[in-house]
Amino acid sequence: MEIEENIPLLEEILADWRECIGAEYRGYRNHIYRMLHFCMALRDCGAVERQKLVIAGAFHDIGIWVDDTVDYIPPSISPAMQYLRHNGLEDWCDEVRLMISEHHKLRRYRGEYAPMVELFRRGDLVDFSCGLVRFGLDRGQVEEVRSAFPNAGFHRNLGKRALHWLPRHPFRPLPMMKW
């Protein structure tokens, strides 16, 4: 697997969000890089698919910081849709919306745009699970990517946010998850 330490489109998109994300920027950036590498290791993607993955990746968790919430899926979709419209990519809105909205689905996604939505879900789950779930990826591949893009507190910060969320929302402990 070839490690890409700089994906220009991702860097360009994230630059506009660096201040909003603040001290957690490096952790989020590295999470996206890991996730994208896992997606591309799971399936050989063409240029258009890769661009969709990068755009969805950049925005998929951004609602954490936009709305300062653990219920971050809805506020992650709006900035992605704005980006697509601003860049003349309206035709991708439905697919990217599903990639973001379904990325924490616990079971396989089988609906519209399933190949890309499921690939994105799997790539995120490989990283979210710290490589415990690999969907056939070699343990060495996962470790190589994790080594190239350190966690930088990403999972710890998610845990802290979840602990603050839980007492206020005991009946919705993980609102981002879907059955």
Side-chain angles (χ1 to χ4, degrees), residues 107-162:
R107 293 181 293 170
R108 179 185 191 105
Y109 177 81
R110 298 176 190 275
E112 190 174 17
Y113 303 108
M116 289 296 288
V117 174
E118 180 62 12
L119 175 63
F120 193 77
R121 184 191 77 82
R122 288 180 178 204
D124 186 72
L125 185 54
V126 172
D127 191 57
F128 187 76
S129 72
C130 298
L132 293 175
V133 177
R134 295 192 308 272
F135 297 104
L137 292 179
D138 181 81
R139 177 175 276 121
Q141 289 176 296
V142 172
E143 288 308 313
E144 181 182 6
V145 171
R146 293 187 72 214
S147 177
F149 304 102
N151 194 281
F154 180 72
H155 288 85
R156 182 183 67 241
N157 289 330
L158 288 179
K160 284 181 186 178
R161 288 175 179 277

Side-chain angles (χ1 to χ4, degrees), residues 26-99:
R26 183 168 179 247
Y28 183 51
R29 177 191 176 274
N30 286 359
H31 164 61
I32 300 166
Y33 270 92
R34 289 189 305 268
M35 186 188 101
L36 291 174
H37 278 80
F38 297 143
C39 287
M40 290 183 255
L42 288 165
R43 188 170 116 206
D44 189 24
C45 295
V48 170
E49 291 174 320
R50 179 183 159 93
Q51 189 176 0
K52 289 175 185 178
L53 288 169
V54 170
I55 293 168
F59 292 103
H60 79 289
D61 293 339
I62 202 76
I64 292 170
W65 300 279
V66 170
D67 276 12
D68 190 25
T69 185
V70 172
D71 192 6
Y72 56 83
I73 300 294
S76 295
I77 293 172
S78 180
M81 298 303 102
Q82 290 172 0
Y83 175 87
L84 291 170
R85 288 185 190 104
H86 184 262
N87 288 281
L89 300 169
E90 295 88 358
D91 292 349
W92 296 359
C93 283
D94 291 342
E95 187 171 18
V96 171
R97 179 182 297 110
L98 284 167
M99 290 167 74

